[in-house]
Amino acid sequence: VLLVFEDLPAELTGSEPLGKNVATDERPPMIATCAAFWDLCMSSAVNTTAEVYVVKVGQRYWGWSIVTSALFLAALMLCASMSNLVVGRLTRRFMKSDRTGLLIGSVLGCAACAPLFHFDLHAVSAQASLLGVGLVLVLSLVGLIRAFALAASSKLAPASLKSSMNSLAFVFMALGRGVGGILGSVLSPLSFAPVVLGMFGVTVLASIASHSYMKPSDKAS
């Protein structure tokens, strides 16, 4: 028995190189990625700076014990946590995109730094009250910025790179924690507010520069 097979057409044989059939992974936009990582690093740095600074200023400038300073810090963190719960519900309803939330949060953060400046108040109660109000506002806003930055960083990369983006996000948050611990230990009442304001200012500029690039990847899901 003799079988004769006819050759298939060239377009059906798949003779094209494999690289043309397999699409390469889409890379996340560099400007938006750097801005998101800066937001994560900055928010963690401001958070840790505030934690260390409050305990330091309570002991060194107000004459408080370590227990009193720690209780004051715990009260501030509790108020900021409760505020984050309320702000989270509001932003979920009114914020249409992560990039808008980052921009608005950083602008409000600049305004929230006003109570942190040294107003040469003599009463410790007045100084503690003013610093407490400012830090609750600042800590609430950096929590908001961190949440939006985490969401944005996971949407910028395609599905194949999501694990790497998430790992880098946690690396930059850990880096911010380390930098914040150093800053909080060296800042004074005269320099604390300008440094925090400067970090929020850089975040505003980064949000403006990356606003048009901060878009979800087509292959994010």
Side-chain angles (χ1 to χ4, degrees):
V1 178
L2 181 63
L3 298 178
V4 179
F5 295 95
E6 183 180 358
D7 293 337
L8 293 175
E11 60 270 14
L12 299 179
T13 58
S15 57
E16 294 182 357
L18 184 60
K20 294 184 179 180
N21 295 330
V22 180
T24 58
D25 289 334
E26 180 186 353
R27 302 301 178 184
M30 184 60 64
I31 296 177
T33 302
C34 292
F37 286 157
W38 162 256
D39 293 335
L40 292 171
C41 183
M42 184 279 302
S43 59
S44 297
V46 171
N47 201 329
T48 310
T49 300
E51 293 172 356
V52 177
Y53 175 78
V54 165
V55 176
K56 171 189 171 182
V57 76
Q59 292 183 270
R60 181 173 299 181
Y61 296 96
W62 298 342
W64 289 357
S65 64
I66 183 65
V67 175
T68 305
S69 301
L71 289 176
F72 180 63
L73 174 60
L76 294 181
M77 299 303 291
L78 176 61
C79 293
S81 300
M82 298 301 294
S83 176
N84 275 331
L85 293 177
V86 177
V87 172
R89 290 182 177 272
L90 293 177
T91 53
R92 186 170 55 182
R93 178 177 302 179
F94 297 106
M95 293 294 179
K96 302 302 181 182
S97 64
D98 298 326
R99 59 182 182 177
T100 303
L102 289 171
L103 181 58
I104 294 178
S106 56
V107 172
L108 292 178
C110 293
C113 292
L116 302 181
F117 283 89
H118 185 62
F119 292 99
D120 199 18
L121 301 175
H122 298 288
V124 173
S125 59
Q127 297 179 32
S129 300
L130 193 62
L131 179 64
V133 171
L135 284 180
V136 168
L137 295 174
V138 167
L139 292 175
S140 300
L141 290 169
V142 295
L144 179 69
I145 292 173
R146 181 167 54 247
F148 279 122
L150 276 173
S153 63
S154 64
K155 296 175 185 176
L156 289 173
S160 59
L161 295 178
K162 272 194 174 183
S163 60
S164 300
M165 288 289 287
N166 291 335
S167 298
L168 287 174
F170 285 105
V171 167
F172 277 93
M173 284 193 291
L175 178 62
R177 297 285 291 181
V179 173
I182 298 174
L183 288 177
S185 63
V186 300
L187 294 178
S188 67
L190 294 176
S191 59
F192 177 68
V195 170
V196 176
L197 178 60
M199 287 193 283
F200 274 111
V202 174
T203 307
V204 172
L205 296 178
S207 298
I208 295 174
S210 63
H211 190 77
S212 59
Y213 301 95
M214 193 79 67
K215 298 178 182 178
S217 172
D218 296 333
K219 302 179 181 178
S221 58

